[in-house]
Amino acid sequence: MTQTIAVYPGTFDPITNGHIDIARRAARIFDKVIVAVASETSPSKRPLFTVEERIAMAEEIFQDDENIEVQGFSTLLVHYMKEANANVIIRGLRAVSDFEYEFQMASLNRNLRPEVETLFLTPSEKYSFISSSMIKEAFRLHGDVSNFIHPIVEVGLHSKLRG
């Protein structure tokens, strides 16, 4: 029997409860979900956490989720999909504003590897407005973000931003 493997790619800098919610929703649908932490980011993004730190936080968060695995990747996503023997990309949509970019990426990926499908999932409403950037900014300005991130992430933010 062939396993259906889905990849949930992202920078996860840091991983939020919205990301966790999407990964766990996907894990109810697919045999295996790989939370794929991108080591290469666009020039406009300057990660706060190293790829190793982001992977370690995600591994700790998902340690009890039997069919969620965390891996780093630094290649083109469709190339990583082939290496991982996966054929479904999971992407989270928070708002209509996310759709245009995600639609373009899904179209590009489908053109590069037609056998790969993209599935869009929405997070729980209580997380639908949060992003990693917003979390970092609010935390920098001493906002209480504890409802939107795992305690492991909060410890990491304290060490990086409040030392």
Side-chain angles (χ1 to χ4, degrees), residues 123-144:
S124 171
E125 291 75 25
K126 63 185 172 184
Y127 305 128
S128 64
F129 63 92
I130 62 170
S131 69
S132 296
S133 313
M134 291 172 67
I135 294 297
K136 289 185 286 193
E137 185 65 22
F139 191 85
R140 274 189 186 102
L141 298 171
H142 299 279
D144 179 7

Side-chain angles (χ1 to χ4, degrees), residues 27-39:
R28 294 194 312 245
I29 300 168
F30 299 100
D31 298 314
K32 178 178 174 183
V33 172
I34 300 171
V35 174
V37 181
S39 62

Side-chain angles (χ1 to χ4, degrees), residues 18-128:
H19 295 131
I20 296 165
D21 184 53
I22 294 285
R24 289 185 172 146
R25 285 172 188 262
R28 294 194 312 245
I29 300 168
F30 299 100
D31 298 314
K32 178 178 174 183
V33 172
I34 300 171
V35 174
V37 181
S39 62
E40 300 294 321
T41 61
S42 68
S44 63
K45 288 187 177 184
R46 288 182 213 79
L48 176 63
F49 295 97
T50 66
V51 68
E52 293 81 13
E53 290 168 328
R54 290 180 275 137
I55 289 170
M57 284 189 283
E59 284 177 335
E60 193 167 343
I61 289 165
F62 294 117
Q63 67 185 348
D64 295 328
D65 294 270
E66 290 181 17
N67 64 332
I68 298 177
E69 183 180 313
V70 178
Q71 295 181 7
F73 78 104
S74 59
T75 63
L76 188 62
L77 178 59
V78 292
H79 294 165
Y80 174 76
M81 298 287 293
K82 190 171 188 168
E83 290 170 27
N85 199 28
N87 57 359
V88 178
I89 299 169
I90 301 296
R91 296 298 295 165
L93 287 179
R94 293 171 301 209
V96 173
S97 57
D98 289 344
F99 181 76
E100 186 173 0
Y101 172 79
E102 293 296 344
F103 181 79
Q104 290 172 332
M105 288 303 300
S107 297
L108 174 63
N109 288 331
R110 187 172 32 258
N111 275 281
L112 293 173
R113 271 198 75 215
E115 65 275 19
V116 171
E117 293 294 339
T118 300
L119 179 67
F120 298 111
L121 295 176
T122 57
S124 171
E125 291 75 25
K126 63 185 172 184
Y127 305 128
S128 64

